[in-house]
Amino acid sequence: MRVSELVQRSGASLATIKYYLREGLLMPGEATSATQASYGEEHLRRLALIRALTDVVGLSVQKAAEVIQLIEGPGDDLFLTLGAAIGALPPYVESSNEQAQDYPLARTALERLGQVYDPDYPAVGQLDRALTAASAAGFPVDDDRLELYGAHVRAIAEYDIDHVPEGPAQGAIEYAVLGTALYEPVIAALRRLSHQDLAMRRFVPDSATDPAGS
Amino acid sequence: MRVSELVQRSGASLATIKYYLREGLLMPGEATSATQASYGEEHLRRLALIRALTDVVGLSVQKAAEVIQLIEGPGDDLFLTLGAAIGALPPYVESSNEQAQDYPLARTALERLGQVYDPDYPAVGQLDRALTAASAAGFPVDDDRLELYGAHVRAIAEYDIDHVPEGPAQGAIEYAVLGTALYEPVIAALRRLSHQDLAMRRFVPDSATDPAGS
């Protein structure tokens, strides 16, 4: 398709598409003349991915570019690639502060959960950051909550790992990186909606027999 | 304490504190003279909350102000207050597009999960947005995944609802709003770390007997 059709079908503006091409987020089309190029379904899918990473996951264009670069040229080591991709997801942890590198809240939590972890994995700092913030704001995660959350999150993660696609490593890495990023907003929204469902059933008993939206 | 001590203990700069006071995010101190005020622990906790909402949850200062305003003057209706607060959390759904208001993916998902919901609750649009983005990027949430995620997220939400603090409604609203926002990054980080734990145990078997960090 020509770029005008790509604009129309993707919903992205021409200026945005040119910007993504220039920054390397979008792969070039196939040149059909000196000034024209032809685009395909992979361009549409890539534009949808950039939009998902920026608008829904909340990444800056720069961070989205980092994630896409890792998917395109993942290297040989799944753990290193995945670690680098996780580091591009929020919350961002400054690596300059030596004190913070110890991550005491995350270490204690992971030991209580009996989980194996690489202390340099960015998610360790992210967990520590999240636990510290909740605690400072007056809502510490106590052991009881940690264990309950940990068990159910682990069951979700098991499902994720059980469904890593077979075949070339490229597919597994894409699934690992994008499944981490794209399903987090789904999980967050489901929790918000479960709160509403449970609260309505408990505090507005009639609502359960007359579900809204039916 | 004087403002200089508040700067030192909170880690926020004087300019930032003055900005938050001006914008109403931080409550005024007790005036001790025409030009000085005294601050207490509630100011420290509020600064920690603003930091958590902006740096860890990822809200703009404006969105953080909306959340704090709802906690301060929640009104009588828990559902309305909570709905407004959820609307201040990402992902942001444009309410101008009539087509999008139907939220077909979210409705189908919630019906499959048998959940009661208010179609105007912001999380319905957020779920739809997240499901649409995942699907457009090539990682649709199929029924099997939805049901597994839904069941475990529901168990987490049940724990949350079981632990709503007793006493004045103000406390329940603060817990509902901040527990939603502050624990989401904890859940996301735990999932990222469970992936690592599971992957290491499966693909690097010796790692389980020699946990990193111990």
Side-chain angles (χ1 to χ4, degrees), chain A residues 170-185:
Chain A
Q170 170 83 27
I173 286 173
E174 200 176 314
Y175 170 84
V177 170
L178 298 183
T180 298
L182 296 173
Y183 295 149
E184 281 176 10

Side-chain angles (χ1 to χ4, degrees), chain B residues 172-184:
Chain B
I173 287 173
E174 199 174 315
Y175 170 84
V177 170
L178 298 183
T180 298
L182 295 174
Y183 295 148
E184 280 175 10

Side-chain angles (χ1 to χ4, degrees), chain A residues 159, chain B residues 108-109 112-113 140-150:
Chain A
Y159 182 93
Chain B
T108 305
R112 173 163 285 272
L113 294 175
V141 177
D142 62 22
D143 290 346
D144 199 39
R145 184 181 296 271
L146 175 72
E147 283 174 10
L148 188 287
Y149 279 22

Side-chain angles (χ1 to χ4, degrees), chain A residues 40-124:
Chain A
E41 294 303 317
E42 74 273 23
H43 294 89
L44 274 177
R45 197 178 133 192
R46 174 60 60 85
L47 286 170
L49 173 59
I50 299 170
R51 193 172 188 180
L53 291 175
T54 53
D55 287 8
V56 179
V57 181
L59 303 189
S60 65
V61 170
Q62 193 193 338
K63 294 285 181 190
E66 282 178 34
V67 170
I68 286 169
Q69 207 174 357
L70 287 163
I71 295 168
E72 288 207 321
D76 296 332
D77 190 319
L78 172 65
F79 287 105
L80 278 180
T81 301
L82 194 52
I86 297 299
L89 303 179
Y92 302 117
V93 180
E94 307 80 14
S95 55
S96 57
N97 187 339
E98 288 221 5
Q99 189 74 33
Q101 301 273 18
D102 191 39
Y103 305 135
L105 289 186
R107 292 172 76 95
T108 305
L110 290 167
E111 271 156 34
R112 173 163 287 272
L113 293 175
Q115 285 189 202
V116 187
Y117 66 99
D118 168 1
D120 294 326
Y121 195 59
V124 179

Side-chain angles (χ1 to χ4, degrees), chain A residues 115-188:
Chain A
Q115 285 189 202
V116 187
Y117 66 99
D118 168 1
D120 294 326
Y121 195 59
V124 179
Q126 292 164 343
L127 177 62
D128 197 77
R129 190 88 195 273
L131 291 172
T132 303
S135 188
F139 292 85
V141 177
D142 62 22
D143 290 345
D144 199 38
R145 183 180 297 269
L146 175 71
E147 284 174 11
L148 186 288
Y149 280 21
H152 288 287
V153 168
R154 189 181 181 82
I156 287 173
E158 261 170 13
Y159 182 93
D160 296 334
I161 297 280
D162 284 343
H163 289 75
V164 174
E166 306 207 4
Q170 170 83 27
I173 286 173
E174 200 176 314
Y175 170 84
V177 170
L178 298 183
T180 298
L182 296 173
Y183 295 149
E184 281 176 10
V186 173
I187 291 169

Side-chain angles (χ1 to χ4, degrees), chain A residues 186-203, chain B residues 79 82 86 109-110 113-118 121 123-124 127 146-162 180 184:
Chain A
V186 173
I187 291 169
L190 285 174
R191 177 165 168 261
R192 295 172 192 176
L193 286 159
S194 280
H195 287 154
Q196 185 180 56
D197 173 84
L198 290 163
M200 284 175 93
R201 285 176 198 270
R202 288 196 195 183
F203 307 128
Chain B
F79 287 104
L82 193 52
I86 297 299
L110 290 166
L113 294 175
Q115 284 190 199
V116 186
Y117 66 99
D118 168 1
Y121 195 59
V124 179
L127 177 62
L146 175 72
E147 283 174 10
L148 188 287
Y149 279 22
H152 289 288
V153 168
R154 189 180 180 82
I156 287 173
E158 260 170 11
Y159 182 94
D160 296 334
I161 296 280
D162 285 343
T180 298
E184 280 175 10

